[in-house]
Amino acid sequence: MNVCAIIPAAGQGTRLGGATPKQFQTLRGKPVLHYTLRTFQESGLIDSLVLVVPERERKNARADWLKRPSVVKQVVVGGEKRQDSVYNGYKFLPTDTDIVLVHDGVRPFLSKRMIQETVHVAEKFGAAITAISVHDTIKQVDAAGLVQRTVERNGLWRVQTPQAFRYDLLGEAFRKAQADSFYGTDEGALVEYLGREVRVVEGSEWNLKITRPEDLVLGESIVAKLFPEC
Ligand code: C5P
């Protein structure tokens, strides 16, 4: 089975502030992306990986990540939205790919277990996403800060990456989304839009998405725990 990964890392990271996008900011001296790619590299489960970066990072990223031996086989430029970036990456996958994993560059603490399980479920059923169930009380709030209603949290899940798909199914989902100008915030939404089933695999609270300045502080502690030699 040929398993390939796309890592979208072409965001501008404006929410974190500063000129450096969050995937290139450092945790214990190494870029966030270093930890993300390292887990894919060391998992031994991936045949090749397409890294998607902003135009201005392409040259540096190629120099840094295309060193051999590396699971990173292509460094390509992203698009306007995350979905455009992932679709750009998809176009560079080998056509004999069986399963495609999509994982945000800004989630450096995924585990080998998540890669393994999403690939396994996608092989069996077509599409698998990692997610964790919601424990907080959820409310819908309007722009003025007024609570509109309390949402029943039973059955709600917070979605993460990695997500895994059969290659043909993901291609079909991208083409349909593009034809209809449909945008989702994950690839699972594109498969749902196609009317096909998507299965959930247990994610993890460790699988933090580096979004806000405080996430870098949390990230430093997680690196110390998961990568003690760094
Ligand atoms: O935008 P969001 O925070 O959901 O970003 C998730 C991932 O998608 C990040 O790794 C980011 O770099 C990437 N991204 C991208 N191209 C964009 C926007 C986001 O590759 N145009």
Side-chain angles (χ1 to χ4, degrees):
M1 188 172 56
N2 196 359
V3 181
C4 297
I6 303 168
I7 308 294
Q12 304 301 323
T14 45
R15 270 169 296 187
L16 207 53
T20 310
K22 51 206 172 180
Q23 61 277 24
F24 299 108
Q25 299 216 11
T26 56
L27 294 173
R28 293 201 148 212
K30 295 202 173 73
V32 167
L33 201 49
H34 164 87
Y35 300 101
T36 313
L37 294 176
R38 179 173 160 171
T39 298
F40 278 94
Q41 174 85 34
E42 290 178 356
S43 75
L45 298 166
I46 305 297
D47 295 289
S48 69
L49 186 152
V50 179
L51 176 63
V52 191
V53 296
E55 174 70 59
R56 67 175 185 282
E57 299 287 345
R58 185 163 177 258
K59 213 169 148 214
N60 284 343
R62 288 182 80 93
D64 287 348
W65 307 110
L66 285 181
K67 288 179 205 144
R68 299 290 187 266
S70 167
V71 76
V72 182
K73 302 294 183 218
Q74 301 269 1
V75 175
V76 306
V77 172
E80 194 191 331
K81 295 188 181 171
R82 180 188 174 285
Q83 184 174 316
D84 303 317
S85 295
V86 179
Y87 194 21
N88 277 359
Y90 180 88
K91 291 170 186 160
F92 285 86
L93 292 174
T95 50
D96 63 348
T97 300
D98 296 303
I99 300 291
V100 185
L101 269 154
V102 181
H103 182 70
D104 291 333
V106 290
R107 286 190 190 271
F109 308 123
L110 80 156
S111 65
K112 184 174 170 182
R113 192 266 310 159
M114 288 177 208
I115 299 176
Q116 220 156 13
E117 287 185 16
T118 49
V119 168
H120 176 72
V121 173
E123 191 191 0
K124 218 164 159 193
F125 299 104
I129 62 173
T130 44
I132 48 181
S133 57
V134 167
H135 301 299
D136 296 320
T137 297
I138 305 286
K139 295 193 190 276
Q140 190 171 352
V141 181
D142 71 11
L146 200 66
V147 171
Q148 300 297 297
R149 67 187 182 104
T150 301
V151 180
E152 172 56 56
R153 72 179 171 194
N154 197 15
L156 291 185
W157 292 68
R158 285 162 52 208
V159 173
Q160 305 180 334
T161 62
Q163 303 193 349
F165 308 91
R166 285 192 200 132
Y167 174 77
D168 292 346
L169 175 63
L170 185 59
E172 198 185 337
F174 273 129
R175 287 188 293 276
K176 166 93 174 138
Q178 193 172 50
D180 295 359
S181 300
F182 174 81
Y183 274 93
T185 49
D186 72 339
E187 284 59 51
L190 310 189
V191 174
E192 290 161 50
Y193 184 68
L194 205 56
R196 305 284 285 275
E197 81 174 25
V198 176
R199 302 241 167 178
V200 166
V201 164
E202 192 74 35
S204 162
E205 292 287 356
W206 292 112
N207 189 19
L208 179 73
K209 185 177 181 185
I210 306 285
T211 308
R212 304 150 304 167
E214 57 267 38
D215 297 330
L216 287 171
V217 180
L218 284 171
E220 294 262 330
S221 322
I222 301 176
V223 168
K225 182 176 162 51
L226 298 183
F227 302 94
E229 74 287 1
C230 288

